Amino acid sequence: MRLFACDHCGQPVHFDNRQCIRCGHQLGFLPELVAIYALEADDGQNWRVVAEPERRVRFCANAELDICNWLVAAGDPEPFCVACRHNRLVPNTDTQQGVERWRRIGQAQRHLFYSLLRWNLPHPDRRQDPQGGLVFDFLEDEVQGGNVVPARTGHEEGLIAIRAAEADDVTREQARTLMNEPYRTLLGHFRHETGHFIWNKLIRDRNQVEAFRAVFGDERLDYGAALQQHYDHGPPLNWQDSFISAYASAHPWEDFAECFAHYLHIVDTLETARSFGLAIDPLGYREMAAEVDFNPYKAESAEQLVSAWIPLSVAINAIQRSMGQPDSYPFILSPPVVTKLDYIRQVIGGV
Ligand SMILES: [Zn+2]
Ligand SMILES: [Zn+2]
Ligand SMILES: [Zn+2]
């Protein structure tokens, strides 16, 4: 994620900021320019972009509950921004808990959309693609006979379900411990589930399945049985030699979704580091392109990306430990995983 600047006073501002703390200007994110802009009130609900006064915008309808800070062109008939217009079932906003959950979910969802926009990945909604467009349900748990039945996070043909209760730290941490996972976040869920959608759009629908199988194995393996096997018996003993996570070993589809999520984790975090002036140049990069900063969105290979990522992630983990926090990136990138990441790079870089 880039660090942005208020274009009225130059103050550095973050992706989720609503107001410049130095000059007080209202801020909004303009998806078509993939950046934060300072705004000045125009008429009624509309605003003018300070840097481009002829550009008139308004806030996404979800700004009303302070759930979203993205902008929509003033003339756009759609009330929601390009991220929120994909939502179908949203948390109940009658309660403060529901509003809080949705704020956290929305924040992670926009972070996902930042990556989709940066990579220019397809994200048709259900009007543009009624069968397989991208749509989100944020599901509440059900209570049956006094027992809580957790809603399921998952993907099916463009429909991504996210368990809303996982916006609460206690619930998500319980699930993480129960599943014996080293890492579990809302953003991770969004990136993983979107990986399944991207598989449909860029591999299945573009007849790229043969190339996929050469790297990830045969996805015609019975999916339900494979997951059951994973939950009953756990991952193979040496899973870390070939997979990014234990869950990735369950089925080639899960392996792809995990690698897609990690590709977004790595590129986004490298971009953040670069924004803050941290040295992230991969080995040998200076000699290849002396004057230009390494841009992780333009990596020429996964090896190049990983040679920048390993020292950075090791440093971040060490910083986390100094603060008594768990590692932020508790994963090992074995050579077969780097090969899979390179496949992801080619798939999403070639859109
Ligand atoms: Zn400012
Ligand atoms: Zn929105
Ligand atoms: Zn999955």
Side-chain angles (χ1 to χ4, degrees), residues 20-95:
C20 175
I21 53 164
R22 190 199 270 173
C23 71
H25 268 80
Q26 183 85 26
L27 303 170
F29 184 86
L30 203 53
E32 54 272 42
L33 299 179
V34 203
I36 297 258
Y37 286 88
L39 306 171
E40 272 168 353
D42 189 12
D43 55 63
Q45 302 223 303
N46 293 328
W47 298 78
R48 283 182 191 278
V49 175
V50 170
E52 291 183 44
E54 70 288 358
R55 191 187 280 273
R56 296 172 72 232
V57 291
R58 60 185 157 75
F59 277 94
C60 169
N62 282 335
E64 205 171 312
L65 289 166
D66 200 20
I67 283 163
C68 185
N69 66 335
W70 281 27
L71 300 166
V72 184
D76 192 331
E78 174 62 57
F80 296 105
C81 73
V82 294
C84 295
R85 66 186 59 170
H86 292 268
N87 294 345
R88 195 173 67 171
L89 295 176
V90 298
N92 180 356
T93 54
D94 293 345
T95 66

Side-chain angles (χ1 to χ4, degrees), residues 155 192-193 196 223 247 253-254 257:
H155 166 266
H192 172 101
E193 301 307 338
H196 291 301
Y223 179 70
Y247 189 55
W253 281 336
E254 296 307 335

